[in-house]
Amino acid sequence: MSITLPIYMDYHATTPVDPRVVEAMLPYFSQHFGNAASRNHPFGWAAEEAVETARRQIADLVGASPKEIVFTSGATESDNLAIKGAAEMYREKGNHIITCVTEHKAVIDTCKRLEKDGWRVTYLPVRKDGLIGLDELRAAITDKTILITIMAANNEIGVLQPIGEIGAIAKEKGILFHTDAVQAVGKIPFNVGELKVDMASISAHKMYGPKGVGALYVRRRNPRVLLSAMIDGGGHERGMRSGTLHVPGIAGFGKAAELCRLEMEADGRRLRELRDYLNERLHRGLDEIYINGSMERRLPHSLNISFAYVEGESLLMGINDVAVSSGSACTSASLEPSYVLKALGAGDDLAHSSIRFGLGRWTTKEECDYVADKLISVVTRLREMSPLYELAKEGVDLSTMQWTPH
Ligand SMILES: *Cc1c(COP(=O)(O)O)cnc(C)c1O
């Protein structure tokens, strides 16, 4: 089988829309174009039916009831609604929130905003494997704690936080538990009942659905979670999120959820094998490479590796026909390395020279071979020009070396 370049290996960032999802969306643009809130004519009814079908499909994927699914514009909005909505609603009860340093910016920045407005936020550290400690979590809880928000799967390193255990602790203490489940839902089993989750953020475009559509699962029983709306007007979505629903997007989201429910197990098995194959090939071809985050508690399609003794920029340039993400966030003028990798204790160099591999529904073994070959040759070439690598190979301990100018 031949491969087409460039190769897409950045499925954590976004996923292509599955053709079957596109198919499910098409009738809702021009044919059944009604407003799902139009209650008095067939145009509205057709749109509403599509939305309610999708609501059921998404609920089925996470073990919720359809009424517990609130549609949003994406997981960034879901995270905002969950955290700010709960903070505002339960203000009387307390002003303390617990989260973790490796959360997505949609959670971190939301918490930062609340801090400015007088809330207190504890950012739990992570261990070297990327996971929080449950003892630290317990110790952080006070009688003012109203919310714990910890992600299910990390978007940079793919590690799986102990969500079930966190849910149990939150329940025992009577604290609400929100999880940003964007990277986990549709990829691994995720059941809001078993995990004792009160709120969960989901995004369609991370699971082969369209961009700009998301959902927040909001528990209705045991306890019934109330949220202050962030967007007012019209009272759609049980008053939690006003605005005309994006019917085609939601229909696609529903179809994507159904496909994930049916195919997740087979997909996961196949991708785990491919991921392990890629990892093994890299380890066979190169020394001084380091996996970031727990390999045991990890999404099946996810791998994050630091390549020591190469410079991040040169590394990325060398593999410019492979779409991956790196630990260098070049989005800002300052070249700040990934805060997630730093939180695991990685030095700046190793954080910069890291690559996140995200495999997905259309990744092939041939592509993994291409990526492995390419990386092995690029890293080998870059290291041939690296005096540090040479010294390290001669057994010089660089960390204790005295750098004397002469
Ligand atoms: C992508 C992502 C988000 C944001 O989702 P959008 O739908 O793009 O707003 C939030 N959290 C995690 C973990 C993500 O990976």
Side-chain angles (χ1 to χ4, degrees), residues 121-392:
V121 180
T122 300
Y123 300 87
L124 294 174
V126 293
R127 305 180 306 225
K128 214 174 154 30
D129 62 4
L131 303 174
I132 66 157
L134 295 173
D135 292 338
E136 279 94 336
L137 171 63
R138 279 184 184 281
I141 294 172
T142 74
D143 56 359
K144 290 274 180 287
T145 310
I146 52 158
L147 177 70
I148 296 171
T149 172
I150 302 285
M151 71 199 325
N154 185 275
N155 48 297
E156 277 191 46
I157 52 176
V159 299
L160 307 173
Q161 295 288 4
I163 293 304
E165 287 86 341
I166 299 168
I169 292 171
K171 184 117 291 176
E172 173 199 319
K173 304 277 185 186
I175 299 166
L176 290 181
F177 175 38
H178 165 252
T179 185
D180 178 334
V182 171
Q183 295 287 345
V185 167
K187 315 293 171 50
I188 56 169
F190 183 93
N191 183 293
V192 293
E194 284 166 18
L195 297 172
K196 299 186 171 63
V197 165
D198 296 314
M199 292 180 277
S201 301
I202 320 175
S203 180
H205 78 97
K206 303 287 175 78
M207 46 185 274
Y208 311 101
K211 291 169 185 62
V213 194
L216 181 66
Y217 157 77
V218 185
R219 182 175 288 282
R220 263 168 73 87
R221 286 186 51 219
N222 237 338
R224 182 187 186 90
V225 178
L226 302 172
L227 296 177
S228 291
M230 297 293 106
I231 299 177
D232 298 308
H236 308 70
E237 299 297 279
R238 295 197 290 127
M240 281 187 263
R241 204 281 190 173
S242 291
T244 301
L245 292 176
H246 176 10
V247 179
I250 288 169
F253 190 6
K255 184 67 183 181
E258 182 185 76
L259 293 173
C260 282
R261 184 171 59 79
L262 298 173
E263 299 177 3
M264 162 165 57
E265 200 186 317
D267 256 2
R269 210 177 314 116
R270 189 183 77 86
L271 291 177
R272 181 185 304 277
E273 237 167 69
L274 279 185
R275 190 267 319 266
D276 290 345
Y277 174 71
L278 172 65
N279 184 36
E280 199 185 289
R281 281 222 45 203
L282 290 171
H283 273 89
R284 249 190 292 133
L286 295 167
D287 59 2
E288 304 276 357
I289 69 176
Y290 305 97
I291 296 174
N292 293 308
S294 166
M295 201 59 196
E296 292 71 44
R297 297 191 50 91
R298 171 185 296 268
L299 292 166
H301 57 284
S302 183
L303 184 64
N304 189 312
I305 295 186
S306 288
F307 298 83
Y309 305 109
V310 298
E311 201 244 320
E313 200 81 345
S314 319
L315 179 60
L316 275 188
M317 249 150 36
I319 55 160
N320 60 3
D321 51 6
V322 182
V324 286
S325 215
S326 95
S328 297
C330 312
T331 43
S332 56
S334 67
L335 213 80
E336 271 295 300
S338 148
Y339 65 94
V340 173
L341 296 180
K342 298 276 286 180
L344 304 198
D348 280 14
D349 287 347
L350 279 180
H352 273 305
S353 68
S354 73
I355 290 182
R356 174 183 73 178
F357 303 92
L359 285 61
R361 203 170 269 171
W362 291 281
T363 303
T364 64
K365 182 153 189 241
E366 287 76 13
E367 288 180 331
C368 291
D369 275 320
Y370 182 92
V371 170
D373 289 340
K374 188 100 189 192
L375 267 166
I376 291 167
S377 88
V378 167
V379 171
T380 305
R381 179 168 54 76
L382 290 172
R383 283 178 178 172
E384 276 164 7
M385 304 184 291
S386 159
L388 288 182
Y389 181 67
E390 209 171 294
L391 285 173

